[in-house]
Amino acid sequence: MFFTCGPNEAMVVSGFCRSPPVMVAGGRVLVVPCLQQIQRISLNTLTLNVRSEKVYTRHGVPISVTGIAQVKIQGQNKEMLAAACQMFLGKSESDIAHIALETLEGHQRAIMAHMTVEEIYKDRQKFSEQVFKVASSDLVNMGISVVSYTLKDIHDDQDYLHSLGKARTAQVQRDARVGEAEAKRDAGIREARARAEQLSAQLLSEEATARAQRDFQVQQALCDGAVSARKAQADLAFQLQVPR
Protein backbone atom coordinates (compact mmCIF):
# COMPACT_ATOMS: atom_id res chain seq x y z
CA MET A 1 0.00 0.00 0.00
CA PHE A 2 1.35 3.43 -0.96
CA PHE A 3 1.30 6.36 1.45
CA THR A 4 1.99 9.97 0.45
CA CYS A 5 2.83 13.16 2.29
CA GLY A 6 3.16 16.81 1.39
CA PRO A 7 6.33 18.94 1.49
CA ASN A 8 5.52 20.06 5.05
CA GLU A 9 5.95 16.62 6.63
CA ALA A 10 8.07 13.48 6.51
CA MET A 11 7.18 9.79 6.75
CA VAL A 12 9.23 7.17 8.58
CA VAL A 13 8.66 3.50 7.67
CA SER A 14 10.01 0.82 10.01
CA GLY A 15 9.54 -2.89 10.50
CA PHE A 16 10.07 -5.81 8.10
CA CYS A 17 12.95 -5.14 5.66
CA ARG A 18 13.18 -1.55 6.89
CA SER A 19 16.34 -1.53 8.98
CA PRO A 20 17.33 1.20 9.30
CA PRO A 21 13.93 2.87 8.91
CA VAL A 22 13.21 4.65 5.64
CA MET A 23 12.61 8.41 5.85
CA VAL A 24 10.74 10.21 3.09
CA ALA A 25 10.23 13.97 3.14
CA GLY A 26 7.48 15.10 0.81
CA GLY A 27 6.77 12.10 -1.41
CA ARG A 28 5.34 8.57 -1.29
CA VAL A 29 6.46 5.23 0.03
CA LEU A 30 5.33 1.61 -0.14
CA VAL A 31 4.24 0.12 3.19
CA VAL A 32 3.45 -3.56 3.78
CA PRO A 33 0.46 -3.72 6.16
CA CYS A 34 0.93 -5.65 9.40
CA LEU A 35 4.67 -6.08 8.71
CA GLN A 36 5.65 -2.46 8.52
CA GLN A 37 4.46 0.70 10.26
CA ILE A 38 4.47 4.33 9.19
CA GLN A 39 4.87 7.42 11.36
CA ARG A 40 4.80 11.08 10.39
CA ILE A 41 6.72 14.11 11.63
CA SER A 42 5.87 17.72 10.89
CA LEU A 43 8.27 19.91 8.91
CA ASN A 44 6.26 23.11 9.36
CA THR A 45 8.00 26.32 10.29
CA LEU A 46 7.24 27.14 13.93
CA THR A 47 7.10 30.70 15.26
CA LEU A 48 8.33 30.96 18.85
CA ASN A 49 7.86 33.86 21.24
CA VAL A 50 11.05 33.66 23.33
CA ARG A 51 10.54 35.53 26.61
CA SER A 52 13.19 35.95 29.30
CA GLU A 53 11.82 37.77 32.34
CA LYS A 54 13.99 39.78 34.76
CA VAL A 55 17.38 38.37 33.84
CA TYR A 56 20.36 39.99 35.54
CA THR A 57 22.78 41.39 33.01
CA ARG A 58 26.57 41.63 33.40
CA HIS A 59 26.40 44.67 35.70
CA GLY A 60 23.56 43.27 37.77
CA VAL A 61 20.67 45.20 36.18
CA PRO A 62 17.56 43.03 35.68
CA ILE A 63 15.78 43.41 32.33
CA SER A 64 13.22 41.45 30.35
CA VAL A 65 13.71 40.55 26.70
CA THR A 66 11.36 39.13 24.09
CA GLY A 67 12.65 37.59 20.88
CA ILE A 68 10.87 36.09 17.88
CA ALA A 69 12.36 32.93 16.37
CA GLN A 70 11.41 30.86 13.34
CA VAL A 71 12.48 27.21 13.55
CA LYS A 72 11.78 24.04 11.59
CA ILE A 73 12.88 20.44 11.28
CA GLN A 74 15.22 20.25 8.30
CA GLY A 75 13.74 17.54 6.08
CA GLN A 76 16.16 17.92 3.16
CA ASN A 77 19.19 17.03 5.28
CA LYS A 78 19.13 13.28 5.94
CA GLU A 79 21.35 13.46 9.02
CA MET A 80 19.30 16.25 10.60
CA LEU A 81 16.05 14.50 9.71
CA ALA A 82 17.34 11.29 11.34
CA ALA A 83 18.29 13.23 14.48
CA ALA A 84 14.87 14.88 14.56
CA CYS A 85 13.14 11.53 14.19
CA GLN A 86 15.08 10.12 17.12
CA MET A 87 14.11 13.13 19.24
CA PHE A 88 10.56 13.92 18.15
CA LEU A 89 8.99 11.01 16.30
CA GLY A 90 5.50 10.49 17.74
CA LYS A 91 5.45 13.99 19.29
CA SER A 92 3.11 16.79 18.27
CA GLU A 93 4.09 20.19 16.86
CA SER A 94 3.42 21.77 20.25
CA ASP A 95 5.84 19.32 21.89
CA ILE A 96 8.54 20.15 19.34
CA ALA A 97 7.88 23.87 19.73
CA HIS A 98 8.11 23.61 23.52
CA ILE A 99 11.49 21.84 23.44
CA ALA A 100 12.89 24.32 20.89
CA LEU A 101 11.51 27.23 22.90
CA GLU A 102 13.13 26.04 26.12
CA THR A 103 16.46 25.67 24.34
CA LEU A 104 16.27 29.14 22.77
CA GLU A 105 15.17 30.76 26.01
CA GLY A 106 18.11 29.22 27.85
CA HIS A 107 20.60 30.55 25.33
CA GLN A 108 18.91 33.94 25.31
CA ARG A 109 19.26 34.15 29.10
CA ALA A 110 22.92 33.10 28.99
CA ILE A 111 23.80 35.78 26.45
CA MET A 112 21.88 38.44 28.39
CA ALA A 113 23.92 37.58 31.47
CA HIS A 114 27.17 38.17 29.57
CA MET A 115 26.19 41.55 28.11
CA THR A 116 25.45 44.93 29.64
CA VAL A 117 22.11 46.66 29.30
CA GLU A 118 23.78 49.33 27.16
CA GLU A 119 25.19 46.71 24.77
CA ILE A 120 21.82 45.01 24.34
CA TYR A 121 19.94 48.31 24.07
CA LYS A 122 22.29 50.00 21.61
CA ASP A 123 23.30 47.01 19.47
CA ARG A 124 20.28 44.77 19.01
CA GLN A 125 21.77 43.30 15.85
CA LYS A 126 24.80 42.00 17.74
CA PHE A 127 22.59 40.45 20.44
CA SER A 128 20.33 38.80 17.83
CA GLU A 129 23.32 37.40 15.95
CA GLN A 130 24.78 35.88 19.12
CA VAL A 131 21.51 34.20 20.12
CA PHE A 132 21.03 32.93 16.56
CA LYS A 133 24.58 31.53 16.37
CA VAL A 134 24.60 29.78 19.75
CA ALA A 135 21.06 28.41 19.48
CA SER A 136 21.64 27.16 15.93
CA SER A 137 24.72 25.15 16.95
CA ASP A 138 22.71 23.47 19.72
CA LEU A 139 19.39 22.86 17.94
CA VAL A 140 21.11 21.43 14.86
CA ASN A 141 21.94 18.36 16.96
CA MET A 142 18.19 17.86 17.36
CA GLY A 143 17.61 18.18 13.63
CA ILE A 144 16.11 21.66 14.02
CA SER A 145 17.37 24.63 12.05
CA VAL A 146 16.87 28.19 13.23
CA VAL A 147 15.49 30.08 10.24
CA SER A 148 15.62 33.49 11.91
CA TYR A 149 15.81 35.23 15.26
CA THR A 150 14.95 38.87 15.96
CA LEU A 151 15.05 40.81 19.21
CA LYS A 152 11.52 42.21 19.52
CA ASP A 153 11.38 44.07 22.82
CA ILE A 154 13.48 45.15 25.82
CA HIS A 155 11.97 46.53 29.01
CA ASP A 156 12.68 46.81 32.72
CA ASP A 157 10.83 47.71 35.92
CA GLN A 158 13.43 50.15 37.29
CA ASP A 159 13.34 52.83 34.55
CA TYR A 160 16.95 52.04 33.67
CA LEU A 161 16.21 52.03 29.95
CA HIS A 162 14.20 55.24 30.33
CA SER A 163 17.20 56.86 31.96
CA LEU A 164 19.40 55.69 29.11
CA GLY A 165 16.96 57.24 26.67
CA LYS A 166 16.93 60.53 28.57
CA ALA A 167 20.72 60.60 28.66
CA ARG A 168 20.88 59.91 24.95
CA THR A 169 18.31 62.63 24.24
CA ALA A 170 20.26 65.12 26.35
CA GLN A 171 23.45 64.18 24.51
CA VAL A 172 21.79 64.66 21.13
CA GLN A 173 20.41 68.05 22.17
CA ARG A 174 23.82 69.10 23.51
CA ASP A 175 25.53 67.98 20.31
CA ALA A 176 22.94 69.93 18.31
CA ARG A 177 23.64 73.09 20.31
CA VAL A 178 27.39 72.64 19.94
CA GLY A 179 26.98 72.00 16.24
CA GLU A 180 24.86 75.12 15.83
CA ALA A 181 27.42 77.24 17.73
CA GLU A 182 30.27 75.83 15.65
CA ALA A 183 28.33 76.51 12.45
CA LYS A 184 27.73 80.12 13.49
CA ARG A 185 31.41 80.49 14.43
CA ASP A 186 32.57 79.07 11.11
CA ALA A 187 30.13 81.31 9.24
CA GLY A 188 31.48 84.36 11.13
CA ILE A 189 35.06 83.38 10.32
CA ARG A 190 34.21 82.93 6.65
CA GLU A 191 32.39 86.27 6.58
CA ALA A 192 35.32 88.08 8.25
CA ARG A 193 37.75 86.45 5.86
CA ALA A 194 35.62 87.49 2.91
CA ARG A 195 35.48 91.09 4.16
CA ALA A 196 39.26 91.11 4.68
CA GLU A 197 39.82 89.74 1.18
CA GLN A 198 37.43 92.33 -0.23
CA LEU A 199 39.21 95.17 1.62
CA SER A 200 42.60 93.88 0.52
CA ALA A 201 41.42 93.76 -3.08
CA GLN A 202 40.02 97.26 -2.76
CA LEU A 203 43.32 98.58 -1.33
CA LEU A 204 45.27 96.87 -4.07
CA SER A 205 42.95 98.41 -6.65
CA GLU A 206 43.31 101.87 -5.14
CA GLU A 207 47.08 101.46 -4.95
CA ALA A 208 47.21 100.40 -8.58
CA THR A 209 45.05 103.41 -9.54
CA ALA A 210 47.26 105.82 -7.60
CA ARG A 211 50.38 104.32 -9.15
CA ALA A 212 48.89 104.67 -12.61
CA GLN A 213 47.92 108.28 -11.97
CA ARG A 214 51.42 109.06 -10.63
CA ASP A 215 53.07 107.41 -13.61
CA PHE A 216 50.78 109.36 -15.91
CA GLN A 217 51.62 112.63 -14.20
CA VAL A 218 55.35 111.86 -14.35
CA GLN A 219 55.10 111.04 -18.04
CA GLN A 220 53.03 114.13 -18.63
CA ALA A 221 55.58 116.30 -16.77
CA LEU A 222 58.41 114.78 -18.79
CA CYS A 223 56.48 115.36 -21.97
CA ASP A 224 55.69 118.97 -20.98
CA GLY A 225 59.37 119.52 -20.13
CA ALA A 226 60.47 118.13 -23.44
CA VAL A 227 57.97 120.36 -25.26
CA SER A 228 59.11 123.42 -23.32
CA ALA A 229 62.77 122.63 -24.05
CA ARG A 230 62.13 122.27 -27.74
CA LYS A 231 60.15 125.50 -27.77
CA ALA A 232 62.96 127.30 -25.98
CA GLN A 233 65.46 125.96 -28.48
CA ALA A 234 63.26 127.10 -31.35
CA ASP A 235 62.85 130.56 -29.87
CA LEU A 236 66.59 130.85 -29.34
CA ALA A 237 67.30 129.76 -32.90
CA PHE A 238 64.84 132.28 -34.26
CA GLN A 239 66.36 135.08 -32.24
CA LEU A 240 69.81 134.23 -33.49
CA GLN A 241 68.63 134.41 -37.09
CA VAL A 242 67.04 137.82 -36.78
CA PRO A 243 69.50 140.56 -38.03
CA ARG A 244 70.50 143.16 -35.50
Side-chain angles (χ1 to χ4, degrees), residues 140-161:
V140 70
N141 297 323
M142 304 180 190
I144 297 176
S145 64
V146 182
V147 179
S148 67
Y149 171 88
T150 303
L151 178 58
K152 179 183 177 182
D153 182 53
I154 308 172
H155 67 275
D156 71 299
D157 298 330
Q158 300 179 359
D159 287 336
Y160 190 89
L161 293 172

Side-chain angles (χ1 to χ4, degrees), residues 151-215:
L151 178 58
K152 179 183 177 182
D153 182 53
I154 308 172
H155 67 275
D156 71 299
D157 298 330
Q158 300 179 359
D159 287 336
Y160 190 89
L161 293 172
H162 180 66
S163 299
L164 282 180
K166 289 176 65 177
R168 178 56 182 162
T169 301
Q171 181 182 357
V172 170
Q173 292 175 345
R174 182 195 64 204
D175 292 345
R177 289 193 298 269
V178 170
E180 183 180 0
E182 290 178 346
K184 289 181 178 179
R185 180 202 63 196
D186 294 343
I189 292 173
R190 288 194 297 269
E191 184 178 355
R193 186 180 295 124
R195 285 199 301 267
E197 291 175 353
Q198 181 181 7
L199 180 60
S200 177
Q202 183 178 353
L203 291 174
L204 288 174
S205 176
E206 291 176 353
E207 182 182 355
T209 302
R211 187 184 302 113
Q213 289 178 348
R214 185 189 65 217
D215 292 344

Side-chain angles (χ1 to χ4, degrees), residues 10-12 14 39-41 84-91 96:
M11 298 180 294
V12 180
S14 59
Q39 293 174 285
R40 299 174 185 266
I41 186 170
C85 289
Q86 292 178 3
M87 290 285 298
F88 306 117
L89 198 61
K91 296 184 181 297
I96 298 172

